[in-house]
């Protein structure tokens, strides 16, 4: 075949393949255009998971009648004039490809009226072919309706996921943009029903509630970090609030939603040792930096960016998140109000006078190679805030708590949570060294499981082996347990195996590491000493020493506190020895 230039409509379809992957890509491009047009209200309507219809109506500047046909052509943009402009882009769009791409794989109708016009216009594009343009009386702004997406690219349609999934993509996209632009009135209608509606009053907590529910929204911690011309702000979950995957880590860079493994890694590193392995925080971070610090022209759907100074971004994100975490979740310290129940409230909820503020916490600079995401998991540098001082055991109360004295006051330790933490770290350490001491049972135990559970277990026998079990299939739905992790010897093997299977039921995560960590935490919970169990002095001491040796002694593997700290300072004040109030 001779070489020839592709006709424009084919070139557009090829470009569309990169830009428009699924219905939510259309929503993203249209929403970005509406934002670039300076809208204060954006209404999105979706039918049939976006395959039937997507409509985006905005109150922005509009497209002048004489530019309408141009707007839907390829490489037509009002946002970029010179090549140099590419390096300080302040708009979301700049490639001039979106409308042409969408128009080439759907039936697209554009209605628009520019601010300076008295009447608007209307244009239909069908599979890339421009129809006739008419005058139309419409309000200032733009409405773009996209129908029968991919009707002329059936192969694309086949790649789409279920309607539920595609709808979820759209909803999560719109909600995230709503969170990023809280001063805009957003409305999302899915099959005629309101799915999201915001007031445009700028209150991000309100939108967080829509996204995660009131309860989670209330728990989210605010991040606000400034350094030179960088600002990093947003919301992060406390260590007690986690998810099984990193899907809830959302990063915006200069108002643009991007996927960025380095920023995500920096976030995770900030949480390192505070979260159980295989658990991830809920995070929405907005990074603001000078436009020239970031190259946005590296991905056709503009979903990735490149930072000029990657290391700098990495370390700033890490510090921003870590500071917010430390400011809000030190060992819970009893404050007078909680202690006596009748003291007048002082200070704010989260920064009462006994709580260190972020600024007071010394923060070690991350090491020079901080930006290397591969090293995140093996980072062992500890923050002083995580470490326990040497503790002197005083005794046990209510058969549930240990009391210990440290150089800085009194510690009340939950024996169950503390033991969970100790077992968890010991087991995880053994796993990482590929040698979980297994204890062979004197008598192998046969365990019969319901068929469904048996099938789940069969698929995971090698994971079990890695965490110290020796389990073999033995006839239908029956398994022989020959060994269990040495750490849990004394526990009931059948119960332990059941714990494991329950966990597979909850979450068939294919990631062995995540499964192992979850299982381990679960086993530790079952096997740890309970509240209400009397411990000998030796046992109490042993628990305390093991806890001191932990990497993250202050939380149990599920993120709950293992201890409460009554500082010497607090005690002195309470007893009127100093600065009595
Ligand atoms: P880009 O956003 O990269 O410029 P698009 O294909 O998305 O490319 O849009 C082409 C042009 O059409 C934009 O540069 C803009 O001038 C105009 N346009 C598109 N959508 C809107 C809108 N909702 N309001 C105003 N102008 C718009
Ligand atoms: Mg655009």
């Amino acid at each position: 075949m001779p070489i020839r230039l592709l006709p424009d409509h084919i070139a557009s379809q090829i470009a569309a393949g990169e830009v428009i992957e699924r219905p939510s890509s259309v929503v993203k491009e249209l929403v970005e255009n509406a934002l670039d047009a300076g809208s204060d209200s954006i209404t999105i309507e979706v039918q049939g998971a976006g395959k039937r219809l997507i409509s985006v109506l905005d109150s922005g500047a509009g497209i002048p009648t004489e530019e309408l046909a141009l707007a839907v052509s390829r490489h037509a943009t009002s946002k970029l004039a010179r090549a140099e402009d590419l390096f300080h882009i302040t708009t979301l769009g700049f490639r001039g490809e979106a409308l042409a791409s969408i128009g080439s794989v759907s039936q697209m109708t554009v209605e628009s009226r520019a601010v300076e016009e008295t009447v608007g216009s209307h244009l239909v594009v069908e599979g890339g072919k421009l129809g006739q343009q008419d005058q139309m009386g419409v309000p200032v702004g733009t409405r773009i309706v996209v129908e029968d997406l991919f009707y002329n690219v059936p192969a694309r349609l086949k790649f789409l996921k279920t309607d539920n999934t595609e709808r979820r993509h759209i909803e999560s996209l719109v909600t995230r943009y709503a969170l990023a632009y809280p001063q805009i009135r957003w409305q999302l209608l899915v099959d005629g029903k309101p799915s999201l509606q915001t007031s445009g009053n700028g209150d991000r907590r309100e939108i967080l509630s829509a996204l995660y529910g009131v309860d989670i929204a209330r728990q989210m911690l605010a991040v606000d970090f400034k350094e030179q011309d960088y600002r990093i702000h947003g919301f992060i979950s406390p260590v007690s609030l986690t998810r099984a995957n990193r899907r809830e880590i959302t990063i915006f860079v200069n108002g643009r939603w991007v996927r960025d493994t380095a920023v995500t890694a920096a976030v995770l590193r900030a949480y390192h040792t505070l979260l159980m392995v295989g658990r991830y925080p809920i995070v929405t971070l907005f990074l603001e930096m000078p436009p020239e610090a970031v190259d946005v022209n590296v991905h056709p759907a503009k979903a990735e960016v490149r930072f000029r100074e990657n290391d700098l971004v990495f370390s700033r994100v890490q510090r921003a998140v870590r500071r917010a975490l430390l400011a809000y979740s030190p060992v819970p310290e009893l404050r007078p109000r909680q202690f006596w129940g009748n003291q007048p409230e002082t200070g704010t909820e989260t920064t009462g006078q006994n709580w260190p503020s972020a600024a007071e916490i010394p923060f070690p600079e991350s090491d020079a190679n901080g930006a290397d995401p591969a090293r995140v998991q093996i980072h062992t540098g500890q923050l002083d805030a995580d470490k326990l001082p040497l503790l002197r055991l005083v005794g046990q109360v209510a058969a549930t708590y240990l009391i210990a004295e440290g150089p800085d006051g009194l510690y009340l330790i939950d024996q169950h949570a503390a033991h969970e933490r100790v077992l968890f770290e010991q087991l995880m350490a053994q796993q990482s060294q590929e040698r979980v001491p297994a204890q062979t049972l004197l008598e192998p135990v046969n365990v019969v499981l319901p068929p469904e559970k048996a099938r789940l277990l069969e698929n995971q026998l090698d994971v079990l082996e890695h965490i110290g079990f020796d389990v073999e299939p033995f006839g239908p739905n029956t398994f022989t347990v020959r060994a269990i992790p040495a750490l849990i010897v004394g526990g009931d093997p059948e119960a332990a195996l059941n714990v494991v299977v329950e966990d597979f039921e909850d979450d068939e995560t294919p990631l062995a590491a995540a499964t192992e960590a979850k299982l381990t935490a679960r086993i530790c919970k079952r096997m740890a000493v309970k509240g209400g169990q009397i411990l000998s002095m030796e046992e109490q001491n042993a628990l305390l020493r093991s806890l001191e040796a932990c990497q993250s002694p202050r939380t149990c593997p599920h993120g709950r506190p293992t201890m409460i700290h009554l500082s010497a300072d607090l005690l002195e004040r309470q007893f009127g020895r100093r600065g009595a109030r």
Side-chain angles (χ1 to χ4, degrees):
M1 256 185 7
I3 300 177
R4 54 192 150 195
L5 272 178
L6 288 173
D8 217 44
H9 71 277
I10 300 187
S12 290
Q13 254 198 40
I14 294 174
E18 293 184 308
V19 183
I20 307 300
E21 196 191 338
R22 54 178 5 140
S24 68
S25 332
V26 172
V27 178
K28 173 173 184 280
E29 294 296 338
L30 298 182
V31 159
E32 288 187 352
N33 281 345
L35 289 168
D36 281 344
S39 312
D40 54 15
S41 131
I42 301 178
T43 300
I44 301 131
E45 210 182 321
V46 170
Q47 283 172 21
K51 291 182 277 185
R52 247 292 300 130
L53 177 139
I54 294 170
S55 143
V56 175
L57 168 70
D58 70 47
S59 63
I63 309 171
T65 300
E66 68 278 8
E67 291 182 8
L68 200 59
L70 201 54
V72 300
S73 329
R74 225 149 59 88
H75 306 309
T77 177
S78 57
K79 301 168 192 172
L80 193 69
R82 302 163 306 158
E84 305 91 89
D85 293 347
L86 264 178
F87 299 96
H88 27 91
I89 283 176
T90 53
T91 49
L92 296 169
F94 56 88
R95 302 172 60 99
E97 273 187 331
L99 290 188
S101 295
I102 297 169
S104 74
V105 293
S106 71
Q107 319 240 23
M108 178 171 80
T109 309
V110 185
E111 296 165 12
S112 192
R113 182 180 136 203
V115 209
E116 61 277 6
E117 295 176 324
T118 47
V119 63
S121 49
H122 164 106
L123 173 67
V124 179
V125 183
E126 227 183 288
K129 290 187 199 61
L130 267 61
Q132 202 187 310
Q133 183 173 330
D134 307 312
Q135 282 208 334
M136 193 183 193
V138 286
V140 171
T142 305
R143 181 208 295 275
I144 297 189
V145 182
V146 176
E147 288 167 283
D148 298 329
L149 182 64
F150 299 137
Y151 80 97
N152 55 351
V153 232
R156 265 288 143 156
L157 275 179
K158 289 208 196 90
F159 276 101
L160 296 185
K161 298 279 171 12
T162 61
D163 281 5
N164 268 337
T165 305
E166 296 300 340
R167 217 178 291 123
R168 198 153 33 80
H169 278 292
I170 294 172
E171 286 174 330
S172 92
L173 179 116
V174 174
T175 333
R176 281 178 170 81
Y177 271 92
L179 198 56
Y181 296 88
Q183 70 288 3
I184 287 173
R185 257 179 299 122
W186 294 86
Q187 190 174 21
L188 172 62
L189 292 163
V190 176
D191 296 321
K193 291 192 220 46
S195 155
L196 175 80
Q197 187 144 25
T198 73
S199 65
N201 68 0
D203 180 1
R204 284 201 168 91
R205 289 263 174 196
E206 179 190 302
I207 304 162
L208 271 184
S209 303
L211 190 51
Y212 297 117
V214 184
D215 212 42
I216 289 184
R218 203 182 297 131
Q219 292 179 58
M220 296 290 277
L221 313 175
V223 174
D224 200 354
F225 174 96
K226 285 196 200 75
E227 200 168 283
Q228 291 166 347
D229 38 13
Y230 279 61
R231 177 165 178 234
I232 298 169
H233 61 110
F235 296 93
I236 61 172
S237 59
V239 294
S240 52
L241 189 62
T242 61
R243 292 284 154 97
N245 55 56
R246 57 188 79 193
R247 235 177 283 151
E248 300 293 356
I249 302 179
T250 305
I251 311 292
F252 274 82
V253 175
N254 289 349
R256 184 190 301 283
W257 183 14
V258 299
R259 291 188 297 258
D260 191 279
T261 41
V263 173
T264 305
V267 168
L268 293 178
R269 179 144 165 183
Y271 276 88
H272 187 51
T273 75
L274 299 173
L275 296 186
M276 222 171 86
V277 179
R279 299 301 294 177
Y280 299 91
I282 303 172
V283 170
T284 302
L285 275 192
F286 303 99
L287 279 58
E288 285 165 21
M289 58 189 76
E292 31 320 325
V294 48
D295 185 356
V296 293
N297 186 27
V298 295
H299 187 272
K302 299 163 291 176
E304 287 169 18
V305 293
R306 199 177 295 137
F307 299 109
R308 217 179 51 199
E309 293 175 284
N310 218 16
D311 292 9
L312 190 76
V313 174
F314 188 96
S315 88
R316 285 179 177 168
V317 168
Q318 190 194 340
R319 274 181 294 145
V321 173
R322 192 72 179 189
R323 270 187 201 175
L325 274 177
L326 289 183
Y328 288 99
S329 45
V331 175
E333 205 171 0
L334 282 187
R335 305 207 333 261
R337 188 168 54 86
Q338 288 167 288
F339 210 0
W340 301 114
N342 57 4
Q343 294 269 333
E345 179 142 354
T346 54
T348 61
E349 267 306 307
T350 45
T351 52
Q353 44 190 317
N354 295 317
W355 293 67
S357 77
E360 288 161 14
I361 300 172
F363 197 92
E365 288 296 318
S366 62
D367 43 313
N369 297 327
D372 181 355
R375 297 187 42 225
V376 171
Q377 293 305 326
I378 54 166
H379 171 69
T380 51
Q382 286 299 305
L383 292 161
D384 283 351
D386 292 345
K387 282 247 175 80
L388 275 192
L390 280 182
L391 299 179
R392 181 181 69 84
L393 178 70
V394 177
Q396 193 185 22
V397 270
T400 299
Y401 308 103
L402 302 187
I403 295 186
E405 184 191 4
D408 49 352
L410 196 75
Y411 288 78
L412 200 55
I413 297 164
D414 179 317
Q415 66 192 35
H416 172 69
H419 195 206
E420 261 186 89
R421 164 54 68 185
V422 167
L423 287 177
F424 179 73
E425 291 203 3
Q426 289 175 350
L427 265 174
M428 290 307 288
Q430 291 170 351
Q431 278 168 31
S432 68
Q433 320 229 312
E434 303 271 333
R435 50 164 189 94
V436 180
Q439 176 79 52
T440 307
L441 301 172
L442 288 176
E443 290 266 342
V445 179
N446 279 344
V447 179
V448 183
L449 294 173
E452 209 175 309
K453 287 190 176 184
R455 200 164 27 77
L456 287 171
L457 185 62
E458 268 163 24
N459 296 331
Q460 306 276 2
L461 289 179
D462 44 341
V463 176
L464 282 193
E465 188 185 328
H466 198 222
I467 59 175
F469 281 91
D470 179 357
V471 178
E472 279 173 20
F474 178 85
N477 305 331
T478 310
F479 297 85
T480 306
V481 184
R482 297 186 186 283
I484 59 175
L487 268 176
I488 60 172
V489 162
D492 172 6
E494 183 165 355
L497 198 63
N498 265 300
V499 171
V500 165
V501 182
E502 275 165 34
D503 218 56
F504 290 142
E505 284 183 307
D506 279 359
D507 179 13
E508 274 185 277
T509 155
L511 281 177
T515 315
E516 282 172 25
K518 266 186 79 181
L519 284 182
T520 306
R522 190 100 175 225
I523 294 166
C524 294
K525 186 176 179 63
R526 274 300 171 88
M527 301 301 160
V529 295
K530 304 282 176 293
Q533 202 167 322
I534 294 173
L535 303 177
S536 71
M537 276 314 240
E538 289 73 38
E539 287 168 326
Q540 297 171 34
N541 252 316
L543 181 53
L544 213 53
R545 296 289 88 81
S546 315
L547 192 63
E548 282 166 9
C550 282
Q551 300 275 306
S552 307
R554 289 160 198 261
T555 51
C556 82
H558 307 93
R560 287 186 297 273
T562 54
M563 60 184 67
I564 287 171
H565 178 203
L566 287 110
S567 70
D569 187 56
L570 170 72
L571 293 175
E572 283 189 357
R573 261 185 285 116
Q574 284 302 309
F575 288 109
R577 291 173 162 271
R578 189 163 61 91
R581 284 181 299 128

